[in-house]
Amino acid sequence: MAENNDKSETFFRDYASSGNLEEVYKRHGRIDLVPLPSDVPEDPLNWSSFRKNTLLALVAFHACLGPFSAACAIPSFELFAAEFAVSLTKASYITAVPIVFLGTFPFLWAPVSSRIGRRPVYLASMLISAAMQLASAYCTTYGSLVTCRVLVAIFICPPQSIGASTVSEVFFVHEKGQKMGVWALLVSLGPTIAPLIMGPLVYHTGKWQWTFFLLAIMNFAHFILYLFFCPETLFNRPIRSNELQSATAQSREPVSIATKWYIPYTSFHMHSKEPWSKLPLDVISPLQYIIKPTIVLPSFANAITFTYTNVLLTVQIPALLGQKYQLNIQQIGLQFIAPFLGALLGEPFAGLGSDKWMQYRVRRANGKREVEWRLPFAIPGFLISIIGLMVLGIRLQNTPPGVWNITPDIGSAIALFGQQIVTTVCTTYAIESQPEHTGQAAILVTLIRQTYAFTGPFYFTNQFNAMGIVHACGLLSGLIAIAMCLILACIMFGESWRTKLEAGNSEHIFQNQSEEEKID
């Protein structure tokens, strides 16, 4: 056995040497990496695991802060209604309105960051958001508070689009499911963590302003962490070829200058020569991918499941459980422990599990890899979400009022466990299906999810009042089942869809090149 291992290692070393991949093998212990890193130490793919994972944690938590900031106002609805003389429904718009801006403004930040880099956008995002959070605490009218919440959503949302690009720039494909899962987990946890923290805070202080004081502190602290732990990830990677000596030599020339540790944190330059006049076209360019079923179908499947589990519970727990069991603000906040734990437990199963499943399928196919092979892992997620939603509805309707019961919370935990599987797998698939356009795919996933989620709070209350809890949960479960059918369609036809689109793109490029040659 040891002899076979030695032979295998010798083979890979010889192969690496013949392909001029000695540095890759020495640094990573393997050469079957996608994408293939350069030999330059400053290449983000060559960073240490600590540096990569610290950056991932910061970007994922930044992505969490968008929905977190929107949901943090939920425990204060009654205080808003009393202070601004508005109805509870109108007070809930302080949470609902920012959701749509969290979905649309990532369109702006992606092309901006492609020009000036990821790091300046992340830093500006946190600093301006901290200022807007502080301004929210000093608002004296309903209109000014809604305006500040919208501004926070606009400036805090960059990682909803460029977060996925950052993950792709730092990690290899075989790690992507797990790492994208961390990003997706934090986005899902945002709406459940916020009331859990802010409920006791508002209950004990009696002032909604402390919600925004705490948010301002968190945002500014995140800005400080970005200063020290968020280097630039955009990197112009040298192209490898078999005539490698000259290319390698060229790529190594600046290393002696760029090896100072502080260079990635202090240097600033334009990363793209695209003129700023093209920015409006770049902002709307991701919409061209809406015709691609391998992006739009998993995005809608994710959006439907996310809305009828995560958003539904976030918005309706105060109304459903709070009124049913006569809970105070702090007790309502504690009900979010269950969905928080459900999502937290679901992510290791979703990210690491789907990566292991993909590796198993690739081994069985002797190295061939199709992104659709990840999708069957999402099917249990839809079924678990439906089970959790029905447990929540049935137990909430059948338990006596005024006496708290844990069984509806168990249902919410089950629902979020399933939803996390769906979110991670669908998001990863949509992004992997467009390897050359990961940023645009991520933006479209976010837009569809946030736009669909935005509509939910406007009809959830009327739906539950008109249909009853069990029938309303049954209808929403049916919609989740329809979402599962969208993924089944991708499993069956996704590969052929991608093949046709790639062939069409290649033909279009060939025609353009031929026309240019005729002109010349």
Side-chain angles (χ1 to χ4, degrees):
M1 192 70 165
E3 185 179 348
N4 289 336
N5 289 338
D6 290 341
K7 287 181 178 179
S8 177
E9 185 173 350
T10 302
F11 169 78
F12 278 114
R13 284 180 176 173
D14 292 343
Y15 187 82
S17 178
S18 65
N20 295 299
L21 299 174
E22 299 97 327
E23 285 295 324
V24 175
Y25 185 82
K26 180 180 177 181
R27 184 174 281 114
H28 300 281
R30 55 191 293 185
I31 56 175
D32 56 332
L33 298 170
V34 181
L36 196 62
S38 67
D39 294 335
V40 182
E42 285 69 34
D43 187 338
L45 293 173
N46 292 329
W47 290 350
S48 67
S49 294
F50 173 80
R51 196 179 192 185
K52 290 182 177 183
N53 289 319
T54 301
L55 177 60
L56 172 65
L58 288 174
V59 172
F61 189 72
H62 188 172
C64 168
L65 286 175
F68 181 94
S69 295
C72 71
I74 290 174
S76 303
F77 284 169
E78 292 184 0
L79 298 178
F80 293 143
E83 179 154 344
F84 300 130
V86 297
S87 66
L88 278 175
T89 301
K90 192 171 181 181
S92 70
Y93 297 164
I94 294 173
T95 291
V97 171
I99 291 175
V100 73
F101 289 90
L102 288 172
T104 54
F105 268 82
F107 278 73
L108 170 66
W109 295 117
V112 170
S113 73
S114 69
R115 286 166 167 80
I116 66 175
R118 315 295 189 206
R119 177 176 165 85
V121 171
Y122 284 139
L123 289 172
S125 168
M126 280 290 94
L127 191 60
I128 297 174
S129 296
M132 291 296 101
Q133 303 284 20
L134 190 61
S136 299
Y138 290 99
C139 290
T140 56
T141 64
Y142 175 81
S144 62
L145 181 58
V146 171
T147 301
C148 283
R149 305 318 300 148
V150 167
L151 290 173
V152 168
I154 290 172
F155 286 103
I156 209 169
C157 70
Q160 306 297 329
S161 59
I162 64 174
S165 299
T166 302
V167 172
S168 297
E169 289 155 3
V170 172
F171 293 101
F172 299 105
V173 165
H174 71 274
E175 307 171 290
K176 192 172 288 186
Q178 183 182 3
K179 304 307 180 181
M180 285 296 298
V182 174
W183 178 68
L185 172 65
L186 270 292
V187 173
S188 298
L189 289 182
T192 60
I193 297 175
L196 180 60
I197 296 174
M198 299 306 177
L201 177 67
V202 173
Y203 178 76
H204 288 288
T205 62
K207 293 183 178 294
W208 59 264
Q209 287 86 350
W210 273 102
T211 296
F212 303 114
F213 287 142
L214 179 59
L215 286 171
I217 293 169
M218 292 171 63
N219 287 179
F220 187 73
H222 205 95
F223 168 77
I224 298 298
L225 290 173
Y226 266 152
L227 282 175
F228 295 100
F229 298 106
C230 179
E232 182 56 61
T233 59
L234 278 181
F235 180 76
N236 187 17
R237 188 168 292 112
I239 299 174
R240 289 186 175 275
S241 68
N242 289 329
E243 328 173 353
L244 196 80
Q245 291 303 326
S246 60
T248 305
Q250 288 175 3
S251 68
R252 287 181 176 175
E253 281 179 8
V255 171
S256 60
I257 300 173
T259 48
K260 295 185 182 298
W261 66 269
Y262 56 81
I263 294 297
Y265 300 89
T266 58
S267 62
F268 173 81
H269 63 275
M270 298 298 292
H271 291 266
S272 172
K273 296 181 180 179
E274 291 290 331
W276 286 98
S277 59
K278 283 188 61 181
L279 184 62
L281 291 176
D282 292 340
V283 167
I284 63 173
S285 65
L287 292 176
Q288 66 183 302
Y289 297 99
I290 205 165
I291 64 172
K292 298 191 175 183
T294 55
I295 294 180
V296 73
L297 293 185
S299 296
F300 270 108
N302 175 39
I304 292 169
T305 310
F306 179 82
T307 300
Y308 298 142
T309 53
N310 195 306
V311 176
L312 171 71
L313 293 171
T314 302
V315 174
Q316 290 301 116
I317 277 180
L320 296 177
L321 276 72
Q323 293 178 6
K324 175 86 175 187
Y325 301 130
Q326 300 173 12
L327 306 177
N328 61 38
I329 293 175
Q330 178 172 253
Q331 292 167 337
I332 289 173
L334 294 175
Q335 305 311 301
F336 287 88
I337 292 176
F340 168 77
L341 290 176
L344 194 64
L345 294 173
E347 180 45 45
F349 184 81
L352 185 60
S354 67
D355 276 347
K356 295 293 184 184
W357 168 256
M358 281 292 289
Q359 291 168 16
Y360 166 73
R361 292 295 304 271
V362 170
R363 283 197 303 271
R364 283 191 59 188
N366 296 320
K368 181 184 176 183
R369 190 178 193 278
E370 298 292 346
V371 293
E372 284 75 24
W373 292 347
R374 188 183 297 273
L375 288 177
F377 211 80
I379 302 303
F382 290 104
L383 300 176
I384 293 170
S385 297
I386 291 171
I387 292 170
L389 192 56
M390 291 309 301
V391 169
L392 170 71
I394 292 170
R395 295 306 302 153
L396 190 57
Q397 182 163 299
N398 294 339
T399 50
V403 181
W404 178 77
N405 192 293
I406 196 174
T407 51
D409 288 330
I410 293 174
S412 67
I414 294 171
L416 264 292
F417 183 94
Q419 178 261 317
Q420 192 57 42
I421 297 172
V422 171
T423 294
T424 297
V425 175
C426 290
T427 302
T428 304
Y429 169 73
I431 291 172
E432 281 187 330
S433 71
Q434 300 297 318
E436 302 299 322
H437 307 284
T438 57
Q440 289 88 338
I443 293 171
L444 205 57
V445 171
T446 300
L447 173 69
I448 292 173
R449 184 190 66 222
Q450 296 300 125
T451 304
Y452 195 92
F454 166 73
T455 63
F458 293 97
Y459 61 79
F460 284 152
T461 301
N462 293 335
Q463 183 181 28
F464 277 87
N465 290 338
M467 300 181 64
I469 296 173
V470 172
H471 289 113
C473 287
L475 174 61
L476 299 180
S477 296
L479 293 174
I480 294 175
I482 293 174
M484 182 174 67
C485 294
L486 301 181
I487 295 303
L488 291 173
C490 288
I491 293 173
M492 292 186 288
F493 306 114
E495 183 180 355
S496 62
W497 288 336
R498 286 188 299 107
T499 303
K500 289 178 181 178
L501 288 170
E502 288 169 5
N505 290 339
S506 300
E507 184 179 351
H508 179 68
I509 292 171
F510 178 77
Q511 288 175 351
N512 288 343
Q513 289 176 341
S514 300
E515 290 174 2
E516 289 175 1
E517 289 173 1
K518 289 178 182 178
I519 293 173
D520 293 337

